[in-house]
């Protein structure tokens, strides 16, 4: 069995924060109990327990595999305001965890991003973010990010050297990103905490150098490294076809070798893979526990789609109304009945 990703600070840290969140808010605790009793239902009597919230839908990179590469000037919509974010958090009292980014680079929001993290953390909500690390050096963002009390920081590193990295992550500066990772990890070490995780999306352009990624993780100060083995198209059929053609299959022996390489170096190597697709006995959990709210306050059913221009639920409605809507109920019922919606079929066995 291949190791799966875990919270950077460990499962015990996650469980501790979950307990603190439930103890802090009685409504959250009761909602979580209802969710655990009836988590697979078309018409839930609970609010979502997790949410992906996209503060910005723009990026300074144009990565070959990402939807941003097809957007005009790397932007889809305007940014979410701090007031809108706070209203969403306040209204969704059932939340125990959020991922505070979507398709875009969250640090482009500036200091507002750190305020969002602090607001969620004031309610003991577990906050995870993903960044390309290109802006961490500016105005000591690496310190602001750690000091915001964020729980997890995932950083995308798709090449062990500049040619590979910059060939995938278009408009990037590998040297700058690597230096920023060192700044961030050194600051975490100074604070005596573990928050970061290096993510590598395995593809044809980098799969022959995965052992070098383990050594790179050590040099940059990471204790956690995840190899993502699956590529998708953000709901775009053309991009999905492009990315599928770039995927590679690695044997379990090859992957276990990476795990063994990391252990003596102090790096936990894990793998994220959805190739073991869902079926009638193992339904996708997203429709029943979480969703994506985009920077322009639209609802998308999962992060594998991410782009509301490709698929959206509750058009023109608030997230709360959307979650309770007939449309969402029918969407869940389709999963329960085995009539998987077309937008979800790529994640299910045929």
């Amino acid at each position: 069995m291949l190791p799966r990703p875990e919270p950077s600070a460990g499962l015990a840290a996650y469980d501790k924060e979950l307990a603190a969140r439930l103890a802090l808010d009685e409504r959250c605790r009761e909602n979580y109990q209802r969710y655990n009793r009836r988590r697979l239902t078309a018409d839930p009597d609970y609010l979502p327990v997790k949410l992906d919230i996209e503060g910005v839908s723009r990026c300074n990179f144009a990565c070959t595999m990402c939807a941003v590469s097809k957007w005009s000037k790397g932007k889809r919509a305007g940014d979410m305001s701090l007031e809108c974010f706070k209203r969403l958090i306040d209204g969704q009292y059932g939340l125990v965890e959020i991922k505070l980014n979507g398709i875009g680079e969250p640090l482009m929001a500036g200091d507002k991003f750190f305020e969002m993290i602090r607001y969620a953390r004031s309610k003991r909500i577990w906050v995870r973010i993903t960044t390309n690390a290109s802006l961490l050096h500016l105005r000591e963002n690496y310190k602001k990010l750690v000091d915001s009390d964020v729980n997890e920081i995932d950083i995308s590193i798709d090449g062990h050297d500049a040619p590979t990295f910059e060939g995938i992550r278009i408009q990037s500066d590998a040297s700058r990103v690597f230096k920023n990772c060192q700044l961030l990890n050194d600051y975490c070490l100074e604070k005596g905490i573990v928050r970061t995780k290096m993510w590598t999306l395995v593809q044809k352009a980098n799969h022959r150098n995965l052992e070098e990624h383990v050594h790179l993780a050590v040099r940059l100060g990471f204790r956690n490294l995840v190899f993502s083995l699956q590529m998708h198209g953000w709901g775009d059929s053309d991009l999905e076809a492009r990315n599928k053609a770039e995927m590679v299959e690695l044997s379990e022996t090859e992957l276990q070798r990476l795990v063994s390489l990391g252990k003596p170096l102090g790096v936990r190597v894990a793998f994220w893979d959805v190739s073991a697709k869902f079926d009638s006995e193992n339904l996708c959990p997203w429709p029943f526990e979480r969703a994506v709210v985009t920077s322009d306050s639209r609802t998308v059913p999962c992060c594998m789609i991410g782009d509301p221009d490709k698929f959206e639920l509750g058009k023109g409605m608030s997230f709360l109304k959307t979650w309770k809507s007939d449309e969402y109920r029918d969407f869940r019922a389709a999963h329960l009945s085995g009539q998987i919606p077309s937008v979800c079929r790529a994640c299910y066995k045929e």
Side-chain angles (χ1 to χ4, degrees):
M1 180 70 69
L2 293 171
R4 300 281 295 174
E6 294 181 357
S8 303
L11 291 171
Y14 184 90
D15 291 341
K16 180 180 178 181
E17 285 301 306
L18 174 60
R21 169 64 176 153
L22 298 179
L24 182 66
D25 190 326
E26 182 178 355
R27 296 178 306 165
C28 182
R29 182 171 65 255
E30 292 175 349
N31 186 81
Y32 198 72
Q33 291 169 346
R34 291 195 299 272
Y35 157 73
N36 280 322
R37 286 196 299 266
R38 297 189 66 215
R39 66 174 62 187
L40 289 181
T41 176
D43 194 14
D45 61 352
Y46 55 84
L47 294 176
V49 297
K50 302 175 184 178
L51 207 59
D52 284 22
I53 304 174
E54 180 184 67
V56 303
S57 54
R58 56 193 174 104
C59 192
N60 54 341
F61 287 5
C63 302
T64 55
M65 62 285 185
C66 184
V68 173
S69 64
K70 302 185 73 174
W71 293 346
S72 175
K73 298 181 180 179
K75 177 180 179 180
R76 185 190 60 77
D79 297 352
M80 179 179 288
S81 70
L82 179 60
E83 292 72 25
C84 180
F85 174 80
K86 288 182 176 180
R87 285 197 301 271
L88 179 61
I89 292 293
D90 291 344
Q92 293 302 310
Y93 57 79
L95 292 175
V96 301
E97 175 187 335
I98 64 171
K99 180 185 177 188
L100 191 46
N101 62 273
I103 307 179
E105 172 47 45
L107 270 77
M108 292 185 76
D111 287 346
K112 177 178 66 176
F113 177 59
F114 309 122
E115 292 184 55
M116 290 177 169
I117 296 173
R118 286 193 294 271
Y119 190 75
R121 290 296 296 133
S122 72
K123 299 176 181 293
R124 299 303 289 266
I125 295 171
W126 183 273
V127 180
R128 177 167 63 95
I129 70 110
T130 299
T131 175
N132 63 28
S134 64
L135 306 176
L136 288 174
H137 63 294
L138 298 177
R139 299 179 296 278
E140 295 193 318
N141 280 335
Y142 68 96
K143 288 186 177 181
K144 293 178 182 177
L145 182 55
V146 173
D147 292 344
S148 72
D149 197 32
V150 67
N151 299 98
E152 294 187 76
I153 306 167
D154 296 339
I155 299 181
S156 302
I157 304 289
D158 293 329
H160 73 291
D161 58 13
T164 307
F165 187 100
E166 295 169 6
I168 295 172
R169 306 190 73 76
I170 308 301
Q171 298 173 188
S172 68
D173 179 343
S175 177
R176 181 70 267 169
V177 168
F178 293 168
K179 290 176 182 177
N180 285 352
C181 290
Q182 290 176 306
L183 284 172
L184 179 65
N185 285 320
D186 285 349
Y187 190 59
C188 286
L189 184 62
E190 178 185 326
K191 303 277 283 189
I193 58 176
V194 179
R195 292 292 181 271
T196 65
K197 189 184 285 110
M198 175 173 150
W199 277 74
T200 294
L201 181 56
V202 178
Q203 51 199 284
K204 288 181 179 178
N206 64 19
H207 80 282
R208 297 187 185 281
N209 304 106
L210 298 185
E211 291 189 2
E212 292 301 321
H213 284 75
V214 179
H215 292 295
L216 177 64
V218 175
R219 293 198 301 274
L220 299 184
F222 288 101
R223 300 187 192 180
N224 297 278
L225 167 59
V226 176
F227 290 104
S228 180
L229 307 178
Q230 191 79 10
M231 300 175 72
H232 57 89
W234 313 98
D236 185 298
S237 57
D238 292 337
L239 192 56
E240 183 174 351
R242 182 265 173 206
N243 288 344
K244 187 175 181 179
E246 293 302 311
M247 287 177 54
V248 295
E249 289 190 19
L250 300 173
S251 69
E252 183 164 342
T253 299
E254 291 175 288
L255 299 178
Q256 290 289 3
R257 187 181 302 126
L258 296 171
V259 176
S260 299
L261 177 61
K263 282 183 179 178
L265 298 174
V267 176
R268 182 184 186 273
V269 175
F271 304 92
W272 185 84
D273 184 13
V274 294
S275 59
K277 296 189 175 184
F278 300 113
D279 56 30
S280 59
E281 302 298 321
N282 178 34
L283 294 175
C284 173
W286 274 80
F288 311 99
E289 71 176 25
R290 71 190 300 172
V292 177
V293 177
T294 64
S295 67
D296 47 351
S297 298
R298 297 160 71 184
T299 302
V300 180
C302 82
C303 66
M304 297 288 282
I305 302 167
D307 184 349
D309 291 340
K310 300 304 178 183
F311 186 83
E312 177 183 6
L313 289 167
K315 190 171 295 185
M317 297 167 58
S318 69
F319 175 71
L320 181 59
K321 289 183 178 179
T322 299
W323 179 259
K324 297 180 177 181
S325 68
D326 291 343
E327 183 184 7
Y328 222 138
R329 182 193 62 203
D330 293 344
F331 184 78
R332 298 186 193 99
H335 283 79
L336 291 167
S337 67
Q339 303 299 312
I340 307 302
S342 58
V343 72
C344 301
R345 288 175 190 162
C347 291
Y348 277 81
K349 293 178 181 177
E350 297 181 359

